[in-house]
Amino acid sequence: MQKIDYTKYKLKTKIEILEMLTGHKRVYILSCNKCFNEFTLDVEPETAELNKTLNEAGKTTIGFMALDFLCNKYLTEKALNNAKKDIEEADAVAVISCGVGVQTIAELLNIPVITMCDTVNQGGYHGISLNPEKCGACGECYLSVTGGICPVVDCSKGLINGACGGAKNGKCEVSKEKECAWENIFRRLAGQNRQNILIEQQPKLRNYNLNSVDFVETYVKSVQAKRNEGFYGGIYPEERKEFTSKMAVEKIAAPDLVYIPLQQHAGAVCEPLVKKGDKVKAGQKIGDSKALVSAFIHSSVSGEVISVESKKHPLLPFPVPTIIIKNDKKDEKDTSILPKGTIDTIKKEDILTVVKEAGIVGMGGAQFPTHIKLNSSKPVDTVLLNGCECEPLLNADQRLMVEQPEKIITGLRLLMKATGTTKGIIAVEDNKPEAFETLKKYIPEGSGVELLQVKTKYPEGAERMLIKRVLNREVPRGGLPLDVGVLVNNIGTAAAVYDAVYSGLPLIKRVITVAGTGVSKPGNYEIPIGMLISDIVKICGIQIPVNFELKMGGAIMGFPQDDLEVPVIKGTNGIIVVMKKDDLNEEPCIKCGRCVNVCPMELKPHKLVHYAKAENWDKSEKDGVLNCIECGCCEDICSSKSRMVEIFRKSKKMVRERKK
Amino acid sequence: MHFTELTKMGKFVITSELGPPKGFHIEKALHEAELVWPHVHAINVTDNQSSVMRLSGLAMCKVLKDKNIEPVFQVTCRDRNRLALQSDILSAALFGIDNLLLLTGDHTTLGDHKDAKPVFDLDSVSLAYMVKHLEEGKDLAGNALDGEPPKFCKGAVVSPCAEPLEPQLFKMEKKIKAGIQFFQTQAVYEADKFEKFMKRVKEFGVPVYVGIVVLKSVGMARFMNENVAGINVPDNIIEELKKDKEKTKSGQTGIEISARLIKELKPLCQGVHLMPLGWDDKVPEILKLSGIIAEKG
Amino acid sequence: MLITRVKKKDAILSLCKGKTLLIACFGCKEVHFEEKEYQALKEDLKTSNLNISGEIQLDYLCNDDYTNKRFELHKKEIDEAETIIIFSCGVGVQTFAGLIPGKTVLSGCDTYVLPGFSGFTPSSHDCEQCGECMLGFTVGICPVTACSKGLLNGQCGGAKKGKCEVSKNKDCGWERIYNRMTVLKKDDLTLKKMIRVRNYNK
C-alpha cells in the first residue's frame, strides 16, 4: 500500500517570518528533528534555510540547537537548561517545529518564542504507521454499522445517516478523485448481506461534547504523571505474577550430574582447583582467581569430578570451562562450612572476607561480585535493598521476603555494617503487599533499616531507576551507584550474605521461579547451582508450545535458551516459558517517538538503531549507547518491530572493541 | 434609526433586552415588548441566549419592526458559519433592521443542547469585520453584492468590571478597528470600577451603554458572582437584598438598586441597557425611579 | 493522539451473529488500553450467551503490513468466525475491515482524541494543524486550541476568575496569552492590529 508522508509543518514565507521577528535582532534557532518522516536524514534542511533568511535580513543568529521531539517536555527542558546561557543572550527564539513543540518551548523559556512554521494536517495520524486510514476520533464509533468504512472522515461532509445525493459516478461532489464513502459503505454491507442495517438504525446525531475539557485534562494529567513517576520513562507490562506468587519455596534435590561453569560473575573466569577424578564436598571451593574482579566458585554437591571441559553457557555466547561433578547423593559438607558469627559479633572487616570466600555475586542477574562493591573506596551513606522484582512472572525474591524476612533484614544489616553505613532501605513494589507487610513486622527498632513501598513500574529494579525513585539521586552516565553514595543489592544476595555469615554456606543454591505457558508444575524452587535446565524441565513438566520459548531470567530481559543442556548459575532468577516475539519484519523507523518516551536512561533509541545500521560507531558512542541497560522497554513498545536490544548489544560490543 | 445618531444628538440612549420564546407563539413576548417600548429607544432581541434554543432572533426582530418597535438584532457566532451569518445579516437589512449587536456567543456546552457542534467559524471581531465588508458592497470572500450595500449601526459588548480588564480593552480596541460603533456592557454593580473603565476607554470615542441586570434575589446575586463572567455584586448590595426579603419577593429592592445604579452611572456614560431577564414588566418602574426618560425623535 | 474506550455491551451485542472472534489491539502503549474494562465486557458478553469462538491479542493493528501478516497467521480462526469485534482505534478497525470486506467487522471501542501526537506522552499543548500558525504573535500559546471556542481575535468575555466558561478546570487561553504578553512583548502592537479569519480550506 502507498505509504504517505505526514509532513506536519513547513517553513513560513520569508515575509511572514520577518514580520514576526520585527524588533528581534539576535535570534537563537531551535529546531525539531522531524518526527513525521521515515528516518533518513540526520540534519533537517530547514535550519540552514532559515538561517540564510535571517542573515539576509541583517539579523544575527547567535546559536542553533536541533533536538529530537521538542514536544517531550522533560527531555527538552534538560537540553534547554544545558544551553541556557547561549539562549538567554537572544532577543527571541525562533522555533522550527509543529505547534506542540513551539508551545512546549514557550512554556519553558522566558523570552519571546516565535514560530517559524505552519503546521499542516495531511490526514492520518503520526505515530500510527504511515497508512492513509483515518479516524475522526468522534467518540461514538459507527464502524460496526458501516462495514468498517468511516463515514465521519471518508464522507466529505461527515454524514452519518447516508449519502447526500451529491455523488456522481461514484465520486464525491468535492473532488473527482474522491470516492463517495456512502456508496462504498453500501456496497460493502450489501456484500455482507447486511444493507438492511442502514434502514433499521435510528437516525443518528453526533455528540460533539463527548471529549470534554475535563475528561481530557484528567486523562492527560494521569498519563503524564505515570510516565514521570519516580523516574523517567519505563513501561507497564502485564505482570502475570499470580501463577506462582502464593507458592512457597520448594527444595529440588540435586541431580546426578551438576555442571558448574567457572564463570558465573562479571570479571575474570576462575581457574579450576580440581581435576578429573577428584572427590569434592558440597560447598568446597573448586575455582578461584587472582584477578581484581572475579568471584570464587564452589561445588553444590558432594561427589566426584568427572570432567573439566568447555561447555555451553546459558548467557555467554562462547563456551566456558565447566566442572562436571557426579553427585554421590551423600551431601557431605565441606569442613570450611562453619558459622562465622552474628550481626553483633562479626567484625566489619570479616564480613568482607566471608562474602568474598562465599563467592557471592549480585543475584538479580548482573552477577557483579559483591565483595568488590563492599570494598569500594567511595563513601557510602545508604545501602539499598532491591525488592522490586519488576519483571513479569518472577516471584523468587517475593517469596524470600515473605518466607525469610529475618534473613533478608539481617543480611542487609550485615551489608550496612560492612560498609559502615547506618541507613538501609528495602524498597518493595506495591504489587507485593504480602512481602511488604511481612518485612514490616520484622524490622528491629533502631536498626537503621527502613521499608519503602514504591509504585510498580518496569524497570524499577534497575539500580539507577531505583535510586532515582527512592533517593531522587541521579547516577551520572557512565557512573555507578557508588558515585552517589549508594550500594544496591538484590534480595537473594542479602539472604546469601546471611547464610555465609550465620552458617558459613557459600553460594551454591538459589531460589528460582519456574513459570509460564506449558509449565505443568510451576513454582518457586530452591535449586542447586549447576543443575541443568533439561533436568528442571523434566521435574516441572515443561512442554514448550509452538511459538513459545524458554528463557533464563525474566520475560523481558531474560535470555532465550535454544539448548536446554545448560546449567542454572548464580544469577538465574527464573526459568520461564513465554510467547516468542511476533515473527514480523522490522519496518523502517517512522520516528513515532515511543522509544524516546520509555527509555529510562533517557537515550534516543531510534537514533541508535539508525547509527547501528549505518555502522556509525562514533555517533553510537556519542549518543550514549554504552549507557543502555538493555531493559528492553524500547523494543517492547516499538511500532516498527525493531530488535533493539540485540542491535544495541552489538553496538556496545563494536564501540568497546574500537576503544581497545 | 441608528443609535449613534441619538448619541450624536446628545440623547441618553435607553435599551432593554427581550428573549424570544421557546416555541412560535410570540404573544407574550410581544406583550412584554409593547409594555417596555414607550420607555426605551430600542429593544435588543437575543440569539439563542445562554445557548438555549429559542425562536430565531431575526424573526422576532421582524415582528417588532412590523409593530414599529425598534429592534437591535443580536448575532452570535456559535450556531452559524460565515455563509449563514452573512445571509441572515442581509435579511436583516431587507427587514429594515438598523442596529446590530455582534457577539461571539456562549459555548454550546452551557446550554440545553450540550451535544451540539459549536461553530465559531468567526468571532465577534471577524463578525464585525465581515459586516463592514457587506457595507462596502462585498461579501467576506470578496464577491460583489448586488445593488446598494446595506448600512447598519454596529454594536458589540464589553465587560467593564472583568478581572483582568486588559484583555477586554485589548479586544474592545480590535472591535472598534473592525467597525464597531457602540458598546453595550455586561452588568455593572460597581460604580468605581465602571468609572475607571470609562476613563480608560474615553480615548476610543465610542459611546458606551451601561448594562443593568435587575437583581431578583440573594441567590441570584451569589450565583452570578460565582458563575457569570465579568459580574461582581458587592457585599453591601447583597446585604441590602438580604435585609429586605419581604420586599425582594415583589422585586422592590432589586428595582430600587437598579434605579440607584442607573442614577449613579448615568453621568459616566452615554446610555443604559437593561437586562430584566423575564422581569420586563418592571422596566417602566425602574426607569421612572431613576428619573430618565427615553427622548425619542 | 488517539485513545480508545471500550463500548458498552448493548452497543455491540445486538449486532453480533454466530461465532464471534475478539481481536484486541494493545498497541499505543504510551496511553492505556482499557484492559480491565475489556476483560469485564468479555465476561459480560459470555454470560449474555454470545458465542465467543476465540480471542487474539495484537499490537499496532493500524500497520497494514503487520495486520496482513497476522491475518494469514490467524486465517483459520478468522474464517470460522461469523462476526469479528475489533477492540482498537478507528484506524485499526478500518485496516482490518478493509482486509476482509466480506465479513461483519464490529468496533468494540470508541475513539477519542487527546492533545499531542501518537507515539508521545499526551501533551498539555495541542496543535490543530490549522496551517496558519499564529504562535509567533501569541507568545507561544495557541488560541486555536487553548481557547475552547478557538477564537483568533481575543477573549470572548466568558471567562471568570481566569477560567473558561466551559470548565473551571480550564484556564482562559486568551488571558494566558495576555498575561504572557505583558511580561514578554509589552510594546508589541501587532496582535492588537490584526484581524484574523481562519481559512478552513488549507
Side-chain angles (χ1 to χ4, degrees):
Chain A
M1 190 176 279
Q2 176 75 39
K3 301 284 183 193
I4 63 167
D5 172 15
Y6 294 102
T7 301
K8 270 215 272 291
Y9 57 75
K10 56 177 201 298
L11 220 48
K12 282 180 182 276
T13 62
K14 275 185 196 173
I15 298 164
E16 283 175 293
I17 286 173
L18 295 175
E19 186 196 353
M20 283 190 296
L21 284 171
T22 312
H24 302 302
K25 194 158 173 356
R26 296 160 60 77
V27 180
Y28 191 98
I29 302 178
L30 258 177
S31 60
C32 185
N33 293 327
K34 285 183 204 128
C35 59
F36 43 78
N37 272 333
E38 284 188 6
F39 198 165
T40 50
L41 296 169
D42 270 359
V43 182
E44 305 290 352
E46 284 85 355
T47 311
E49 202 182 321
L50 175 64
N51 190 36
K52 195 168 152 248
T53 306
L54 296 186
N55 289 344
E56 280 169 6
K59 302 200 184 283
T60 320
T61 312
I62 64 157
F64 303 94
M65 185 156 60
L67 293 171
D68 297 282
F69 311 117
L70 279 188
C71 55
N72 185 318
K73 191 178 156 195
Y74 178 90
L75 295 179
T76 300
E77 187 168 15
K78 273 196 168 176
L80 290 182
N81 281 341
N82 290 338
K84 209 171 182 173
K85 261 201 174 151
D86 291 349
I87 296 174
E88 278 174 356
E89 296 271 298
D91 300 330
V93 174
V95 183
I96 301 175
S97 99
C98 76
V100 182
V102 179
Q103 292 174 76
T104 309
I105 300 292
E107 187 191 347
L108 294 171
L109 291 178
N110 266 325
I111 33 175
V113 168
I114 317 284
T115 175
M116 294 292 111
C117 294
D118 284 326
T119 308
V120 282
N121 190 345
Q122 307 279 19
Y125 289 92
H126 165 263
I128 313 193
S129 80
L130 297 174
N131 65 22
E133 257 100 8
K134 290 186 282 177
C135 171
C138 66
E140 32 192 9
C141 194
Y142 302 107
L143 290 166
S144 297
V145 289
T146 57
I149 296 168
C150 179
V152 176
V153 258
D154 285 355
C155 167
S156 303
K157 299 175 184 170
L159 304 178
I160 52 178
N161 293 301
C164 66
K168 177 135 184 158
N169 301 326
K171 301 295 180 191
C172 174
E173 66 183 32
V174 167
S175 158
K176 284 187 178 143
E177 301 301 309
K178 193 173 161 61
E179 288 178 9
C180 171
W182 275 101
E183 286 193 20
N184 285 339
I185 290 171
F186 184 83
R187 213 170 295 128
R188 186 171 286 174
L189 286 172
Q192 299 169 3
N193 205 16
R194 287 172 76 215
Q195 66 273 36
N196 276 347
I197 208 166
L198 294 175
I199 300 158
E200 287 159 11
Q201 292 277 316
Q202 291 288 322
K204 286 194 247 337
L205 283 175
R206 287 267 321 253
N207 181 347
Y208 286 92
N209 189 28
L210 280 169
N211 211 17
S212 74
V213 171
D214 291 343
F215 164 70
V216 171
E217 284 271 325
T218 322
Y219 197 100
V220 166
K221 293 233 165 84
S222 74
V223 180
Q224 284 176 345
K226 251 185 143 175
R227 170 68 60 238
N228 290 320
E229 192 166 66
F231 57 92
Y232 175 83
I235 54 172
Y236 297 87
E238 230 187 314
E239 292 170 9
R240 301 170 66 204
K241 289 187 184 270
E242 63 280 6
F243 301 114
T244 60
S245 62
K246 301 274 177 218
M247 300 174 97
V249 175
E250 255 181 77
K251 270 188 193 167
I252 287 188
D256 294 343
L257 289 173
V258 290
Y259 292 69
I260 301 178
L262 285 164
Q263 175 133 35
Q264 302 183 34
H265 46 262
V269 62
C270 285
E271 295 295 327
L273 298 175
V274 290
K275 55 182 190 307
K276 187 178 169 182
D278 286 355
K279 298 272 185 227
V280 293
K281 299 269 171 68
Q284 181 184 331
K285 197 199 286 182
I286 54 172
D288 77 356
S289 169
K290 303 241 169 344
L292 220 55
V293 181
S294 190
F296 300 154
I297 304 287
H298 303 79
S299 174
S300 55
V301 296
S302 64
E304 185 187 330
V305 176
I306 59 166
S307 173
V308 180
E309 60 186 88
S310 276
K311 296 290 285 182
K312 193 169 167 17
H313 191 275
L315 308 184
L316 297 170
F318 45 83
V320 168
T322 302
I323 298 171
I324 307 168
I325 301 165
K326 188 169 188 318
N327 184 2
D328 62 12
K329 308 271 169 130
K330 290 180 189 155
D331 197 26
E332 284 177 315
K333 295 276 186 302
D334 192 63
T335 47
S336 65
I337 301 176
L338 291 169
K340 305 292 190 293
T342 67
I343 178 75
D344 301 316
T345 61
I346 193 162
K347 277 195 258 158
K348 182 183 172 213
E349 314 73 64
D350 291 346
I351 300 174
L352 184 70
T353 319
V354 170
V355 167
K356 185 179 178 186
E357 281 302 319
I360 295 173
V361 300
M363 289 165 73
Q367 306 188 117
F368 193 80
T370 306
H371 69 274
I372 311 273
K373 277 199 211 171
L374 291 177
N375 204 15
S376 163
S377 55
K378 290 180 178 148
V380 172
D381 59 48
T382 312
V383 179
L384 193 51
L385 213 51
N386 182 352
C388 290
E389 205 169 46
C390 56
E391 278 264 16
L393 287 166
L394 300 187
N395 281 308
D397 288 350
Q398 192 257 138
R399 286 317 302 174
L400 275 175
M401 291 188 274
V402 170
E403 294 174 36
Q404 307 185 349
E406 285 174 292
K407 235 187 197 185
I408 286 154
I409 292 162
T410 313
L412 169 60
R413 291 175 66 201
L414 286 164
L415 290 165
M416 287 157 65
K417 191 167 181 177
T419 46
T421 44
T422 51
K423 191 170 158 194
I425 301 174
I426 310 178
V428 184
E429 279 191 345
D430 61 2
N431 60 357
K432 307 171 195 45
E434 197 186 349
F436 180 80
E437 292 305 325
T438 315
L439 286 169
K440 204 158 123 188
K441 279 183 225 151
Y442 286 91
I443 293 174
E445 245 176 77
S447 62
V449 174
E450 289 170 33
L451 184 64
L452 198 76
Q453 195 162 34
V454 293
K455 282 241 165 84
T456 305
K457 170 162 136 184
Y458 178 87
E460 193 147 48
E463 11 180 70
R464 284 160 190 276
M465 279 79 244
L466 193 63
I467 292 168
K468 179 83 178 46
R469 157 86 86 184
V470 173
L471 298 161
N472 199 22
R473 296 183 198 169
E474 234 166 279
V475 181
R477 278 195 182 178
L480 291 169
L482 287 166
D483 295 333
V484 292
V486 187
L487 180 73
V488 184
N489 276 289
N490 171 264
I491 292 290
T493 310
V497 169
Y498 172 93
D499 284 340
V501 171
Y502 277 72
S503 63
L505 196 71
L507 181 46
I508 55 170
K509 60 181 168 58
R510 65 156 301 148
V511 177
I512 294 169
T513 299
V514 182
T517 314
V519 181
S520 56
K521 278 187 260 171
N524 301 294
Y525 298 104
E526 189 184 286
I527 294 176
I529 303 290
M531 183 163 180
L532 291 180
I533 294 179
S534 56
D535 287 330
I536 298 171
V537 164
K538 270 177 231 146
I539 292 170
C540 298
I542 300 176
Q543 297 238 316
I544 305 169
V546 184
N547 289 329
F548 281 70
E549 62 189 349
L550 183 143
K551 276 184 170 184
M552 176 178 284
I556 299 175
M557 283 178 85
F559 284 74
Q561 306 290 331
D562 304 325
D563 183 353
L564 302 183
E565 304 302 319
V566 289
V568 161
I569 56 172
K570 292 175 183 176
T572 309
N573 48 8
I575 304 280
I576 56 159
V577 182
V578 289
M579 205 192 281
K580 271 189 191 162
K581 285 253 165 73
D582 282 334
D583 183 24
L584 295 171
N585 294 335
E586 177 177 350
E587 290 206 339
C589 170
I590 57 169
K591 287 211 257 180
C592 73
R594 290 185 171 92
C595 55
V596 177
N597 257 338
V598 298
C599 177
M601 289 304 295
E602 301 172 21
L603 303 171
K604 311 279 183 315
H606 70 298
K607 274 193 148 169
L608 296 174
V609 170
H610 181 63
Y611 296 145
K613 299 226 155 127
E615 302 197 347
N616 188 337
W617 310 123
D618 272 338
K619 282 201 167 158
S620 295
E621 186 180 358
K622 202 165 149 267
D623 274 25
V625 75
L626 292 179
N627 292 297
C628 169
I629 58 169
E630 300 175 23
C631 64
C633 287
C634 52
E635 190 171 319
D636 179 76
I637 205 166
C638 179
S639 58
S640 290
K641 304 284 171 195
S642 184
R643 302 279 184 264
M644 288 160 136
V645 174
E646 202 179 305
I647 292 168
F648 298 157
R649 277 185 191 141
K650 187 184 162 207
S651 300
K652 282 156 95 169
K653 197 170 146 233
M654 297 307 290
V655 170
R656 284 203 186 101
E657 270 172 18
R658 268 165 29 102
K659 272 187 164 172
K660 285 175 195 166
Chain B
M1 179 202 54
H2 288 187
F3 277 167
T4 35
E5 300 300 317
L6 292 172
T7 303
K8 265 184 209 154
M9 287 190 270
K11 285 180 183 160
F12 191 73
V13 175
I14 306 168
T15 53
S16 184
E17 181 186 277
L18 179 74
K22 200 173 184 89
F24 68 99
H25 305 287
I26 55 156
E27 294 75 14
K28 188 167 167 280
L30 198 57
H31 173 72
E32 280 162 2
E34 280 168 339
L35 209 72
V36 171
W37 171 239
H39 310 277
V40 300
H41 289 107
I43 293 178
N44 279 45
V45 179
T46 56
D47 178 10
N48 289 338
Q49 190 176 6
S50 307
S51 306
V52 172
M53 192 286 298
R54 289 157 186 267
L55 182 91
S56 140
L58 182 56
M60 190 73 212
C61 284
K62 167 79 169 114
V63 169
L64 293 185
K65 194 79 194 173
D66 288 348
K67 297 273 174 192
N68 285 320
I69 296 172
E70 191 63 39
V72 179
F73 178 31
Q74 294 196 182
V75 186
T76 72
C77 303
R78 176 193 52 241
D79 310 323
R80 284 162 288 188
N81 69 3
R82 60 191 86 174
L83 275 81
L85 287 168
Q86 289 180 95
S87 67
D88 275 4
I89 282 166
L90 289 176
S91 305
L94 168 68
F95 295 149
I97 294 163
D98 287 328
N99 298 302
L100 303 175
L101 188 75
L102 307 173
L103 313 100
T104 299
D106 290 331
H107 200 277
T108 39
T109 52
L110 272 61
D112 65 350
H113 287 64
K114 295 187 194 303
D115 301 353
K117 182 178 186 179
V119 179
F120 300 115
D121 182 16
L122 300 182
D123 57 28
S124 52
V125 175
S126 42
L127 181 62
Y129 176 74
M130 181 196 87
V131 177
K132 202 163 99 179
H133 267 242
L134 295 177
E135 288 175 335
E136 286 162 4
K138 281 179 288 180
D139 67 13
L140 195 54
N143 306 306
L145 300 181
D146 296 336
E148 187 75 10
K151 192 74 200 144
F152 294 103
C153 179
K154 308 182 291 292
V157 293
V158 66
S159 276
C161 303
E163 275 171 1
L165 182 61
E166 294 301 329
Q168 283 290 315
L169 293 174
F170 163 93
K171 188 145 178 197
M172 191 174 172
E173 238 186 293
K174 282 184 95 160
K175 286 177 175 172
I176 294 165
K177 211 179 142 253
I180 290 298
Q181 295 150 297
F182 71 89
F183 285 88
Q184 291 179 327
T185 80
Q186 175 60 291
V188 171
Y189 294 98
E190 299 155 292
D192 51 338
K193 269 194 194 164
F194 186 68
E195 192 175 355
K196 273 184 206 145
F197 166 80
M198 286 309 294
K199 271 187 191 148
R200 293 285 299 274
V201 305
K202 204 174 164 200
E203 52 168 321
F204 299 156
V206 179
V208 172
Y209 310 140
V210 68
I212 299 289
V213 166
V214 188
L215 290 170
K216 296 181 185 175
S217 66
V218 176
M220 174 191 175
R222 288 208 172 119
F223 177 83
M224 290 201 302
N225 280 353
E226 208 46 52
N227 298 298
V228 182
I231 292 189
N232 181 40
V233 184
D235 291 343
N236 62 329
I237 292 184
I238 293 181
E239 284 305 314
E240 196 178 335
L241 282 168
K242 241 193 239 171
K243 265 190 234 158
D244 205 346
K245 247 187 176 168
E246 269 305 283
K247 267 205 283 175
T248 309
K249 261 183 202 159
S250 64
Q252 198 52 41
T253 312
I255 290 167
E256 284 165 14
I257 292 169
S258 301
R260 196 176 67 224
L261 277 168
I262 295 172
K263 267 191 210 161
E264 213 172 336
L265 301 172
K266 186 174 181 256
L268 301 171
C269 58
Q270 291 75 38
V272 60
H273 175 57
L274 282 159
M275 292 169 266
L277 305 179
W279 278 15
D280 301 74
D281 55 330
K282 315 270 198 261
V283 170
E285 196 186 345
I286 294 171
L287 291 172
K288 199 177 146 209
L289 270 177
S290 61
I292 55 167
I293 309 163
E295 294 175 43
K296 296 189 186 177
Chain C
M1 66 168 36
L2 304 182
I3 53 160
T4 55
R5 299 174 106 186
V6 174
K7 277 183 186 278
K8 299 266 177 297
K9 182 182 82 178
D10 298 342
I12 302 176
L13 195 60
S14 63
L15 297 166
C16 296
K17 249 188 181 168
K19 279 188 181 171
T20 302
L21 176 68
L22 310 184
I23 298 180
C25 177
F26 282 71
C28 289
K29 291 165 192 165
E30 68 276 8
V31 285
H32 308 293
F33 178 70
E34 281 191 318
E35 206 187 326
K36 274 185 200 145
E37 288 80 355
Y38 166 66
Q39 298 295 355
L41 176 72
K42 204 169 72 186
E43 287 313 308
D44 206 3
L45 287 171
K46 267 187 205 159
T47 51
S48 308
N49 290 327
L50 181 68
N51 179 1
I52 297 178
S53 61
E55 185 193 3
I56 306 170
Q57 291 188 4
L58 303 169
D59 62 359
Y60 303 117
L61 208 57
C62 53
N63 184 315
D64 40 11
D65 290 346
Y66 293 156
T67 303
N68 232 328
K69 208 160 179 196
R70 284 153 158 173
F71 179 70
E72 290 304 318
L73 202 69
H74 298 283
K75 197 168 184 314
K76 196 165 162 273
E77 293 151 89
I78 291 166
D79 282 347
E80 278 171 11
E82 197 173 332
T83 307
I84 296 172
I85 312 178
I86 309 266
F87 294 85
S88 83
C89 74
V91 185
V93 180
Q94 290 173 75
T95 307
F96 208 91
L99 288 172
I100 37 169
K103 193 146 305 228
T104 302
V105 173
L106 306 180
S107 60
C109 294
D110 290 321
T111 308
Y112 295 76
V113 66
L114 286 190
F117 298 105
S118 292
F120 310 116
T121 302
S123 174
S124 305
H125 307 293
D126 201 1
C127 174
E128 216 180 273
Q129 310 187 5
C130 68
E132 12 182 37
C133 193
M134 64 183 291
L135 285 167
F137 300 114
T138 55
V139 282
I141 296 167
C142 174
V144 178
T145 55
C147 166
S148 298
K149 299 174 184 172
L151 305 179
L152 301 182
N153 295 302
Q155 74 168 185
C156 67
K160 178 113 186 167
K161 294 172 190 159
K163 300 295 179 185
C164 175
E165 68 182 30
V166 166
S167 164
K168 283 181 182 158
N169 291 323
K170 190 179 168 74
D171 290 332
C172 169
W174 273 99
E175 255 182 69
R176 282 173 55 207
I177 292 172
Y178 184 80
N179 291 341
R180 229 176 124 73
M181 199 90 186
T182 50
V183 179
L184 292 181
K185 295 178 91 178
K186 215 170 179 158
D187 307 324
D188 190 358
L189 297 174
T190 329
L191 188 59
K192 204 181 246 182
K193 283 185 197 148
M194 61 169 64
I195 294 173
R196 292 184 72 114
V197 180
R198 192 164 155 189
N199 178 354
Y200 282 91
N201 194 26
K202 279 234 167 184

